[in-house]
Amino acid sequence: MTRPELADRRVLVVEDDPTVLEVASTYLRAAGYLVDIASDGFAALEAAANRRPDLIVLDRMLPGIDGVEVCRRIRARSAVPIILLTALSATDDRIDGLEAGADDYLTKPFSPRELVLRVQSILRRSVTDLTPEAAVVLGAFELDPSARTVRRDGRELALSVREFDLLAFLLKHPRQAFSREQLLRAVWHWEFGDLSTVTVTVRRVREKIENDPTEPAILVTVWGVGYRLDL
């Protein structure tokens, strides 16, 4: 059952397989979402620009422009959450999608109920809690959890949903080392999953907070453990 504050959110489903498109759309509409559809990369870009969805479900393999390039182009101008649909066990596809800015992924074949749960989970994060969290100021960084913003030296960082979630978690737990498994559970709320999801998201966050992402001094690697925010 969709929470009332999540009802009537607009979801764009981009899929060239008519059966998958119909099933995904049907389940999302039944959950209370407004659903737009597209079946190729060019149509996806047009719909994303004109319909302004709250979330996009995007197939990796599309005619015209593939899903990774569509994701990259959308992410260049928008922080709209994107769930990528990838082929079973195609690790490279998942990594390519995450590096292009996808927030989450599902491997085919997938349960349509799982898709609805993933959509709900991501959209729920954008709903402001009625009890605002206090801001966190740490060094040059200011986290406003209620507004879902992070500023560095007064400038707001352009972060995707998962990038924000990861950086916010680390800002709340500075100078603590976390393994990728711990971050997967704490940030993604997954008990199991591809650990490269964490690796890629860390790399993307570094590109936005480090003076030199190739020599990180803020979000550092703790060899044999994982990562730590040094502030």
Side-chain angles (χ1 to χ4, degrees), residues 14 16 39-45 58-74 82 84-85 92-93 96-97 100:
V14 186
D16 65 326
S39 56
D40 64 65
F42 292 110
L45 291 172
L58 178 63
D59 187 31
R60 169 67 173 79
M61 300 297 294
L62 291 171
I65 310 173
D66 73 15
V68 170
E69 180 59 24
V70 171
C71 181
R72 187 176 291 111
R73 294 189 190 187
I74 292 173
I82 298 173
L84 195 72
L85 305 179
D92 289 344
D93 285 353
D96 288 347

Side-chain angles (χ1 to χ4, degrees), residues 7-8 39 58 64 66 75 94 99 104 107 127-128 139 156 165 183 192 194 197-198 207 223 227 229:
D8 296 331
S39 56
L58 178 63
D66 73 15
R75 185 59 73 231
R94 296 198 295 273
E99 289 181 336
D104 204 346
T107 55
V127 175
T128 302
E156 184 176 342
D165 291 342
L183 291 172
F192 305 97
D194 187 346
T197 302
V198 178
E207 290 171 355
W223 298 108
Y227 304 101
L229 195 71

Side-chain angles (χ1 to χ4, degrees), residues 3 18 25 49 65 75 81 91 95 118 123 131 192 201 211 214:
R3 288 168 54 181
S25 300
I65 310 173
R75 185 59 73 231
T91 301
I95 292 176
R118 293 288 183 94
L123 288 179
T131 307
F192 305 97
T201 308
N211 293 327
T214 64

Side-chain angles (χ1 to χ4, degrees), residues 115-134:
L115 173 62
V116 171
L117 290 174
R118 293 288 183 94
V119 169
Q120 289 175 346
S121 175
I122 291 178
L123 288 179
R124 189 177 297 121
R125 294 173 179 273
S126 66
V127 175
T128 302
D129 197 296
L130 294 178
T131 307
E133 287 188 59

Side-chain angles (χ1 to χ4, degrees), residues 152 202-203 205-221 223 228 230:
R152 184 184 184 190
V202 165
R203 184 159 61 242
V205 170
R206 281 173 170 165
E207 290 171 355
K208 298 179 180 182
I209 68 172
E210 298 282 357
N211 293 327
D212 181 0
T214 64
E215 295 289 340
I218 300 172
L219 180 43
V220 301
T221 298
W223 298 108
R228 183 182 68 232
D230 277 355

Side-chain angles (χ1 to χ4, degrees), residues 179-201:
S179 68
R180 292 189 297 170
E181 291 87 353
Q182 288 174 316
L183 291 172
L184 201 65
R185 288 192 294 270
V187 177
W188 281 261
H189 304 289
W190 298 352
E191 288 299 323
F192 305 97
D194 187 346
L195 295 180
S196 63
T197 302
V198 178
T199 306
V200 172
T201 308

